[in-house]
Amino acid sequence: RAACLDAHGSADEANQSMLWRRPTPTREANVLVITAGTSDLPVAHEARLTLQAHGFDPSLISDVGVSGLHRLLARVDDVTGADAVIVVAGMEGALASVIGGLTSGPVVAVPTSVGYGAGLEGVTALLSMHASCASGISVVGIDNGFGAACAIARSCR
């Protein structure tokens, strides 16, 4: 990190990603990044930064997981109006199925390693997201906000 900053100057940083040149948004797709909890934010910020590097102007909705579903329902119009959604969730990863049932656009699910007990460092969320009954959900690796954003960049031209 230090060597990169020394060589290239200050950068926008999120999680383990760095962005030196933030382009003016050129893609019109309405992309939404949603987190189940606040502990999922580092991965969500990585996804947003990567989307911005690809010319998107993504919105973020955080802390709307199934344990506080009322907070998601207050934003349901944002979800149904999105062209594509990245869902970032740990624990059991149930939010991906909920969002997959609400929106008709592409959904890319990112399991996170946060949680405790039977969360198994993200494996439980990963398996749950793969087993979702909401059709068409794509799943990337644990904590891979970068990969999720790249999948959206390939989906939304």
Side-chain angles (χ1 to χ4, degrees), residues 80-139:
T80 59
D83 297 316
V85 181
I86 293 175
V87 179
V88 183
M91 298 298 294
E92 80 285 1
L95 184 61
S97 289
V98 172
I99 299 301
L102 289 172
T103 184
S104 61
V107 175
V108 179
V110 185
T112 61
S113 56
V114 301
Y116 48 84
L120 304 173
E121 298 179 348
V123 173
T124 300
L126 176 72
L127 295 175
S128 172
M129 289 170 173
H130 276 296
S132 174
C133 63
S135 59
I137 294 176
S138 298
V139 183

Side-chain angles (χ1 to χ4, degrees), residues 19 21-29 31 46-58 86 145-157:
L19 176 63
R21 284 174 245 128
R22 185 184 304 257
T24 302
T26 56
R27 296 192 184 193
E28 295 182 15
V31 180
E46 177 182 74
R48 280 187 77 202
L49 189 69
T50 305
L51 287 166
Q52 290 168 338
H54 282 279
F56 293 97
D57 185 21
I86 293 175
F146 173 82
C150 289
I152 294 295
R154 288 177 175 234
S155 299
C156 298
R157 295 282 171 191

